[in-house]
């Protein structure tokens, strides 16, 4: 039974501690839209998305008003579009861009913030359609506003497709150049994965998995500020008390997500999928994962001990969340995007946080190198090598890792890029100046690790 204290506690979390529902994401399968004719394909895509998602934004707004819970984003994810390209008669870059523009129009017409799924899963090999779609990503993202893209280049079971890794380095550079007037903004809508999950509600990496049903509702919660405030009450106490506090707080946050997900599912008459209980920060002061780590006793995020603190946080969030919902999924843990987190921004500017330290932190958190701005003259092979390093961490540790790098054209180390909104401020971070050309140019596939042989 809910008591008055619990109600007041939740109200305080919303009003003073930045608690919100980060996103309601409707996943829609486009398998039934496959057609060899591009005109018919785009018509089917538009009709299906606008039919299924026509009430998504209104329902989200109604839930906000009824329960007083901020729902920051309403989004759509679709099945990876590369499979639709393979079904086309004579696939081309132009046809891929047209698909992206169709997604963009449908998203705008139903009023959602983003639509994800201009994606390809190429962790073991690349079909002709997948290659064309990947090569079209820069133009597709540069010519649309809401479309997000992702490419899965590795997995624990398959290894790492180094041909795809090399390809993605060039794609990211090209996307940055095409949007140089906005400091490479297209790259903020592009994620490279290893072990990508099928039910991720967060952008830019969301897509509706091949194993999902026709339509589903997934919800992503947030609340770093709530966890930070809770830890202030156990300042100086042992780590057992820290972990227990985080677990209890994560439980409360996830219960709110569960409530919103069930309400949205019922009102839209769409099955409830999962709650992703990831702590997703924002540039707002007090809504930072870095500040949580510093509350544990670190002078500045990035100093020695940061990885251990993040491991504790990520584990405790998962333990608390799984008790609050039977359907926890997505990425579920702690995100560490640099430009989207006020504490990470400050740590990067001060020099306490480097790409190498962030790479170490990704071994124990939910995702990977996220929203990191690097010098615009960084070679494509270096971008590919950074992707390969992250994919290796995901492959060996049987976890999802991701890379969202922004080589900002004309920017150098020490410069700052302003994206605005949830994407925040990106200090340009240093990359190693030594070449990875010969390594990336080998091509082929890095074999799956021994721990993949579990059958």
């Amino acid at each position: 039974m809910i008591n008055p204290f619990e109600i007041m506690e939740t109200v305080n979390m919303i009003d003073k501690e930045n608690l919100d529902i980060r996103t309601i994401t409707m996943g829609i399968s486009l398998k039934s839209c496959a057609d060899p004719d591009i005109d018919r394909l785009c018509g089917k895509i538009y009709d299906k998305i606008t039919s299924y998602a026509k009430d998504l934004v209104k329902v989200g707004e109604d839930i906000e008003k009824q329960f007083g819970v901020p729902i920051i984003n309403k989004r759509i994810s679709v099945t990876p579009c590369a499979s639709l390209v393979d079904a086309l008669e004579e696939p081309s870059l132009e046809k891929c861009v047209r698909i992206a523009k169709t997604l963009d129009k449908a998203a705008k017409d139903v009023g959602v913030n983003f639509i994800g799924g201009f994606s390809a899963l190429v962790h073991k090999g690349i079909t002709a359609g997948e290659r064309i779609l990947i090569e079209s990503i820069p133009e597709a993202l540069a010519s649309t506003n809401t479309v997000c893209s992702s490419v899965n280049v590795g997995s624990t079971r398959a290894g790492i497709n180094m041909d795809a890794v090399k390809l993605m380095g060039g794609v990211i550079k090209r996307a940055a150049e095409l949007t140089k007037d906005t400091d490479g903004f297209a790259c903020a809508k592009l994620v490279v994965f290893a072990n990508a999950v099928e039910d991720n509600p967060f952008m830019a990496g969301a897509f509706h998995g091949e194993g999902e049903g026709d339509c589903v509702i997934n919800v992503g919660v947030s609340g770093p500020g709530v966890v930070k405030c809770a830890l202030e009450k156990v300042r100086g106490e042992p780590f057992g008390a820290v972990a227990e506090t985080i677990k209890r707080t994560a439980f409360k946050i996830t219960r709110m997500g569960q409530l919103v997900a069930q309400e949205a599912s019922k009102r839209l008459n769409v099955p409830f999928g999962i709650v992703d209980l990831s702590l997703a920060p924002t540039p707002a002061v007090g809504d930072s994962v870095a500040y949580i780590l510093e509350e544990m006793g670190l002078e500045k995020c990035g100093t020695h001990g940061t990885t251990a603190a993040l491991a504790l946080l990520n584990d405790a969030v998962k333990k608390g969340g799984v008790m609050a919902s039977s359907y926890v999924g997505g990425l579920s843990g702690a995100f560490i995007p640099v430009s989207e987190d006020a504490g990470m921004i400050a740590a990067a500017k001060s020099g306490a946080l480097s790409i190498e330290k962030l790479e170490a932190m990704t071994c124990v958190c939910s995702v990977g190198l996220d929203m990191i701005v690097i010098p615009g003259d960084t070679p494509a092979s270096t971008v590919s090598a950074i992707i390969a390093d992250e994919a290796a961490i995901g492959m060996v540790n049987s976890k999802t890792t991701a890379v969202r790098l922004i080589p900002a054209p004309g920017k150098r180390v020490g410069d700052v890029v302003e994206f605005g909104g949830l994407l925040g401020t990106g200090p340009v971070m240093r990359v190693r100046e030594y070449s990875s050309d010969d390594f990336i140019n080998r091509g082929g596939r890095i074999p799956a690790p021994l721990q993949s042989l579990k059958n």
Side-chain angles (χ1 to χ4, degrees):
M1 179 179 293
I2 297 176
N3 61 47
F5 174 76
E6 289 175 329
I7 294 173
M8 291 306 299
E9 186 179 40
T10 302
V11 169
N12 186 63
M13 288 179 180
I14 294 169
D15 287 346
K16 299 180 180 178
E17 299 173 4
N18 297 312
L19 175 62
D20 59 53
I21 300 300
R22 184 55 47 84
T23 179
I24 294 178
T25 301
M26 175 179 281
I28 302 173
S29 173
L30 298 184
K31 293 178 184 178
S32 62
C33 299
D35 199 293
D37 181 81
I38 186 63
D39 293 327
R40 291 196 299 266
L41 171 63
C42 289
K44 290 178 181 179
I45 290 172
Y46 179 84
D47 289 345
K48 186 162 189 179
I49 291 172
T50 54
S51 172
Y52 278 54
K54 64 181 185 298
D55 297 323
L56 176 60
V57 172
K58 182 180 183 303
V59 165
E61 291 172 347
D62 288 346
I63 293 173
E64 282 185 276
K65 292 174 184 175
Q66 180 175 347
F67 294 100
V69 182
I71 301 173
I72 306 302
N73 289 298
K74 294 83 178 175
R75 298 164 170 169
I76 295 169
S77 63
V78 299
T79 39
C81 289
S83 60
L84 300 176
V85 178
D86 271 316
L88 281 173
E89 183 178 356
E90 299 182 3
S92 66
L93 294 178
E94 292 74 19
K95 290 178 180 179
C96 290
V97 173
R98 186 170 168 190
I99 291 171
K101 289 181 177 180
T102 301
L103 296 175
D104 195 45
K105 177 172 171 49
K108 288 177 179 177
D109 287 352
V110 298
V112 296
N113 305 93
F114 290 106
I115 183 166
F118 195 75
S119 306
L121 310 180
V122 294
H123 38 281
K124 199 169 184 180
I126 305 178
T127 67
E130 287 167 341
R131 180 176 291 277
I132 292 171
L133 180 128
I134 290 172
E135 291 173 348
S136 77
I137 287 173
E139 286 77 12
L141 297 185
S143 60
T144 58
N145 296 317
T146 64
V147 174
C148 293
S149 181
S150 60
V151 178
N152 193 66
V153 299
S155 74
T156 300
R157 292 303 299 265
I160 304 172
N161 184 345
M162 292 300 291
D163 293 324
V165 168
K166 179 180 179 180
L167 186 59
M168 289 310 300
V171 166
I172 290 170
K173 288 283 290 183
R174 171 74 174 155
E177 286 297 326
L178 288 179
T179 52
K180 61 184 177 183
D181 57 328
T182 54
D183 295 317
F185 178 74
C187 298
K189 301 188 293 174
L190 172 58
V191 182
V192 185
F193 279 117
N195 289 322
V197 297
E198 297 192 334
D199 52 6
N200 171 21
F202 288 99
M203 298 298 171
F207 64 86
H208 187 66
E210 294 286 351
E212 298 282 335
D214 200 43
C215 189
V216 71
I217 287 291
N218 297 320
V219 166
V221 299
S222 185
V226 178
V227 176
K228 165 70 164 56
C229 291
L231 289 184
E232 290 174 0
K233 300 170 185 174
V234 294
R235 191 169 290 169
E237 295 189 25
F239 283 114
V242 173
E244 189 65 24
T245 300
I246 295 171
K247 281 167 51 182
R248 291 177 181 274
T249 306
F251 177 88
K252 296 171 187 175
I253 295 170
T254 307
R255 289 298 279 179
M256 179 168 288
Q258 173 90 353
L259 170 65
V260 170
Q262 289 176 335
E263 279 296 317
S265 171
K266 180 172 66 176
R267 297 183 189 194
L268 290 165
N269 195 29
V270 171
F272 160 49
I274 57 92
V275 175
D276 186 320
L277 51 93
S278 296
L279 295 181
T282 74
V285 175
D287 200 24
S288 161
V289 169
Y291 290 161
I292 296 174
L293 305 180
E294 291 169 4
E295 181 60 39
M296 292 187 200
L298 303 171
E299 181 179 358
K300 184 69 71 173
C301 178
T303 192
H304 305 294
T306 299
T307 305
L310 183 59
L312 184 156
L313 173 64
N314 206 55
D315 180 65
V317 165
K318 292 178 189 291
K319 287 175 177 173
V322 296
M323 293 298 294
S325 174
S326 297
Y327 296 100
V328 170
L331 297 167
S332 290
F335 289 175
I336 53 170
V338 174
S339 80
E340 298 176 3
D341 184 307
M344 296 287 180
I345 294 168
K349 286 182 176 179
S350 71
L353 192 62
S354 66
I355 289 181
E356 289 78 14
K357 184 59 178 178
L358 283 163
E359 186 178 303
M361 293 164 67
T362 63
C363 296
V364 299
C365 78
S366 291
V367 279
L369 299 174
D370 194 15
M371 285 302 293
I372 296 174
V373 183
I374 59 176
D377 61 359
T378 303
S381 60
T382 298
V383 175
S384 294
I386 294 171
I387 294 170
D389 283 342
E390 268 308 294
I393 290 172
M395 174 184 72
V396 171
N397 291 287
S398 301
K399 69 184 294 293
T400 302
T401 51
V403 173
R404 190 160 45 146
L405 293 177
I406 304 164
K411 302 296 183 181
R412 299 178 179 178
V413 174
D415 291 340
V416 175
V417 174
E418 297 286 348
F419 294 115
L422 288 176
L423 297 177
T425 301
V428 180
M429 301 184 71
R430 187 181 306 278
V431 299
R432 296 296 180 186
E433 67 271 22
Y434 302 103
S435 174
S436 305
D437 286 358
D438 291 345
F439 176 74
I440 294 301
N441 286 333
R442 285 179 178 271
R445 183 157 54 96
I446 293 178
L450 184 62
Q451 55 265 42
S452 69
L453 302 176
K454 294 181 178 180
N455 289 337

